[in-house]
Amino acid sequence: MERRTKPARAILASLCALIVFCAACARQQPPDDNAQTRADGAKPSVLRIVTSRKIESLDPVKPGHWFITEFGAAELPLILDDDYNLKPWMLESFAQADELNWRLTLRPNVTFQNGKPLTAAALAACMNRQLTRSPSTKSVLPDATVAVTGEREVTLTTLKPDPNVPSALADEVAFPIYDVETVEAAGGDARKLVGSNCYTGAYRIVSLDDREMRLERFANYWQGTPPLEAVSVRTVSDAQARILAVQSDEADIALYPPTEAKRMLANRQDAFFVTSENSGGGPRIFFNVRLAPFDETLVRRAFSLGINYEALAKQVMDGVFDTATGFYPPSFSWAVQNQRTDLEEARRLLDEAGWRAGADGGVRAKNNAPLEATFLVYPQQPDWTTLVTAIQAQLSELGFRIQIRQVDDINAAMKNSTDWNVALNSPGIITTGGAPDSSLREHLTTDAEANYGAVKDQELDNLIDELSHTFDRVRRANLLARIQGIVIAEKAYEVRPVFTRSRCIVGRRYRNYRPSPQLHHVTYATRPAD
């Protein structure tokens, strides 16, 4: 019989939570749009989504605006698809002219939702406004300019060679395409952008308040008439209430469910737990290399080799996540699979480092100091506490004594405190446009502000710097391979415990829906199964 990964009291707690969320949902149920009947006797096709995240801003130059792309209101020059390929979206094509200049050619016959044509001049105005006024855009592509160079062509010019320009064009924080005149007429009042029809997407925003965003189809959309009449995106903070909303047919899709929902919904026919085809991000384990015991490379390597990654993914996380085989998931073209489990090798490395096994296989010690560590985790993502608890148990077999500490702000705790040894955090490994460079630079180079573990590795610094201005794909892949060799296998500066898949709960009408690793929740292709 397969060993259970949770004690009986945890299962009982889950059942109790189910009863509690039924009551919670009664207070938070969204309206049943599809219960209405049109004059012709047919039911309207309204996609009803419940999400944990509040819609923050309609202003494209302010943080929090990216939901306008995620829910089908706005579009980008390029798109990173669910297989991690960069493809044209608002652009018909793009080409590098030289190290500083990129020619971008617009699709023909695209209009904003307000009826204005998307011309080369309109595209240049939008991109230049983002480049000068949006902090997010400046961070992705600093010191760039855009000029009209043809009837449907603009040229983007960077101050220095930047191989990540295509990724920037697909980054949801950088270049949502909008009608500048309409946005500026709002005078900074984001409420005036509701109903302004300033974007190009398949669905236009018609209302927004603290609880719900409503969108309606844009009939003159460039790909054709969108299949849905409307989309409702409702904020329901309680995860269990979102699940019950789908079960009771008050919602079609519930975003961001907990992993335990898979078990709770097993064999049900009113709601289904579904995941994306490919894994993408997920948590990262960072070591504080300034403090013992992880100031020793051999101990970090032993820690990494002592984790049973397959058990974490398939048993602890019920198969919702994928087994971590390296720094990047296999769906990334440059991924190297160099992370593995080897308990005998881990024990040998600890012996070599002078950490002697305790009596009866207990906690190891060196110079009368125990092999112990404080492991930081944050409560906002309950799955991570489950994950760290399982890692604690696995590593105890090697002689590690690990104490888990929950902190409300994981970034502040890693940055400002000095008494932690290892921490679980989820800062991402690529941009939303698919570029790996910035995450490597921010977390693993010597002087980076987010290098909380104080990694100081000159070879790693040099490799990441070279990557940031290397265009050749083969050379970039080789650089990334060497970086992964250092970070995972040789120096073990980080560990990837699992690879995550995007997940959601869907009702019967959207049984064929699959969540996007890129968080493209609503697209032109989104439609019910029937």
Side-chain angles (χ1 to χ4, degrees):
M1 179 180 294
E2 184 178 10
R3 183 175 62 86
R4 293 183 181 273
T5 58
K6 290 189 177 182
R9 63 178 179 274
I11 297 174
L12 179 61
S14 295
L15 293 174
C16 293
L18 179 60
I19 296 171
V20 171
F21 83 64
C22 290
C25 190
R27 299 190 300 270
Q28 300 192 61
Q29 286 181 351
D32 188 359
D33 293 287
N34 286 322
Q36 304 298 320
T37 302
R38 300 185 315 210
D40 60 5
K43 288 186 177 180
S45 178
V46 179
L47 170 58
R48 303 159 300 171
I49 298 175
V50 285
T51 180
S52 62
R53 301 181 178 182
K54 182 180 178 181
I55 306 302
E56 295 183 14
S57 176
L58 282 178
D59 192 331
V61 302
K62 293 182 179 179
H65 69 266
W66 39 83
F67 76 91
I68 58 181
T69 301
E70 294 178 0
F71 290 109
E75 296 172 301
L76 308 170
L78 303 179
I79 186 171
L80 185 69
D81 70 14
D82 290 349
D83 294 319
Y84 296 95
N85 299 310
L86 279 171
K87 295 181 177 179
W89 196 358
M90 285 292 88
L91 299 181
E92 182 178 69
S93 64
F94 65 102
Q96 184 179 6
D98 53 47
E99 285 195 338
L100 299 180
N101 293 286
W102 300 75
R103 287 194 296 269
L104 316 179
T105 303
L106 265 174
R107 291 184 182 276
N109 305 318
V110 176
T111 65
F112 294 106
Q113 296 160 346
N114 59 21
K116 295 181 181 179
L118 174 58
T119 62
L123 177 64
C126 172
M127 295 183 70
N128 281 321
R129 187 173 189 269
Q130 290 297 107
L131 286 163
T132 57
R133 300 185 59 176
S134 167
S136 297
T137 308
K138 290 179 182 179
S139 68
V140 172
L141 196 61
D143 302 316
T145 57
V146 180
V148 176
T149 52
E151 182 180 358
R152 287 190 291 118
E153 181 187 273
V154 302
T155 297
L156 185 151
T157 302
T158 59
L159 186 64
K160 58 183 180 180
D162 189 342
N164 289 313
V165 167
S167 295
L169 296 173
D171 198 319
E172 65 177 16
V173 308
F175 293 112
I177 304 303
Y178 57 88
D179 175 26
V180 170
E181 183 180 10
T182 298
V183 171
E184 293 195 335
D189 186 349
R191 293 171 298 179
K192 294 181 179 179
L193 294 177
V194 176
S196 68
N197 301 324
C198 61
Y199 299 108
T200 63
Y203 298 94
R204 57 189 187 89
I205 301 170
V206 295
S207 67
L208 174 65
D209 58 33
D210 288 341
R211 300 186 66 188
E212 183 185 22
M213 176 176 67
R214 299 276 299 188
L215 304 97
E216 294 179 355
R217 70 160 57 118
F218 173 34
N220 294 323
Y221 181 61
W222 61 273
Q223 290 193 71
T225 302
L228 302 172
E229 293 184 23
V231 178
S232 165
V233 182
R234 188 172 175 85
T235 302
V236 177
S237 59
D238 184 80
Q240 311 298 359
R242 294 197 302 275
I243 297 170
L244 189 60
V246 175
Q247 288 183 276
S248 60
D249 196 28
E250 299 293 339
D252 299 300
I253 298 173
L255 300 178
Y256 310 114
T259 300
E260 66 180 8
K262 179 182 179 181
R263 183 186 301 109
M264 294 167 63
L265 296 176
N267 301 318
R268 296 189 66 98
Q269 297 303 312
D270 54 3
F272 307 90
F273 187 97
V274 296
T275 64
S276 60
E277 295 294 332
N278 292 320
S279 54
R284 297 162 64 175
I285 294 176
F286 294 86
F287 294 107
N288 184 351
V289 302
R290 292 165 294 199
L291 299 180
F294 297 123
D295 57 341
E296 298 181 59
T297 300
L298 295 181
V299 177
R300 298 195 301 271
R301 289 175 57 194
F303 182 105
S304 177
L305 290 165
I307 296 175
N308 188 330
Y309 302 99
E310 184 173 6
L312 292 182
K314 295 184 177 180
Q315 298 175 22
V316 178
M317 291 301 171
D318 290 335
V320 175
F321 298 163
D322 287 342
T323 301
T325 55
F327 192 80
Y328 297 104
S331 48
F332 291 22
S333 63
W334 58 79
V336 176
Q337 299 185 41
N338 61 348
Q339 184 172 267
R340 59 192 176 89
T341 302
D342 190 332
L343 296 182
E344 290 305 313
E345 175 69 3
R347 292 188 180 97
R348 187 192 68 76
L349 292 174
L350 290 173
D351 289 342
E352 181 182 340
W355 292 94
R356 301 307 177 198
D360 300 322
V363 178
R364 288 177 177 258
K366 179 179 180 178
N367 299 327
N368 296 320
L371 182 59
E372 59 184 7
T374 300
F375 203 142
L376 301 185
V377 68
Y378 55 101
Q380 292 88 343
Q381 173 47 278
D383 286 341
W384 296 169
T385 300
T386 302
L387 197 64
V388 170
T389 301
I391 293 171
Q392 178 190 48
Q394 290 179 355
L395 293 177
S396 67
E397 298 181 16
L398 290 178
F400 282 90
R401 178 194 293 157
I402 293 178
Q403 299 175 340
I404 300 171
R405 181 193 301 169
Q406 285 205 357
V407 293
D408 289 333
D409 188 332
I410 188 68
N411 289 316
M414 292 174 69
K415 180 179 180 179
N416 299 325
S417 63
T418 59
D419 59 348
W420 63 276
N421 304 104
V422 61
L424 191 79
N425 201 350
S426 306
I429 53 173
I430 59 170
T431 66
T432 61
D437 310 44
S438 60
S439 181
L440 294 171
R441 184 169 54 251
E442 291 166 9
H443 299 285
L444 288 166
T445 57
T446 299
D447 297 322
E449 185 175 354
N451 180 8
Y452 303 135
V455 173
K456 295 182 179 180
D457 190 306
Q458 189 61 56
E459 182 184 5
L460 201 54
D461 287 350
N462 293 341
L463 289 166
I464 294 172
D465 179 67
E466 184 178 353
L467 181 71
S468 69
H469 57 261
T470 296
F471 288 85
D472 182 77
R473 293 182 65 180
V474 173
R475 179 57 183 161
R476 283 182 62 83
N478 290 337
L479 290 169
L480 284 163
R482 179 61 189 141
I483 290 169
Q484 292 167 79
I486 295 172
V487 172
I488 296 296
E490 295 179 22
K491 303 291 184 65
Y493 292 128
E494 287 193 30
V495 173
R496 295 298 306 279
V498 289
F499 294 147
T500 61
R501 291 175 180 261
S502 296
R503 56 193 186 270
C504 66
I505 308 298
V506 300
R508 286 186 295 268
R509 295 176 67 242
Y510 284 84
R511 187 67 181 88
N512 296 333
Y513 180 90
R514 287 294 179 271
S516 164
Q518 321 310 342
L519 304 182
H520 301 147
H521 304 308
V522 179
T523 70
Y524 172 71
T526 303
R527 64 193 67 209
D530 54 356

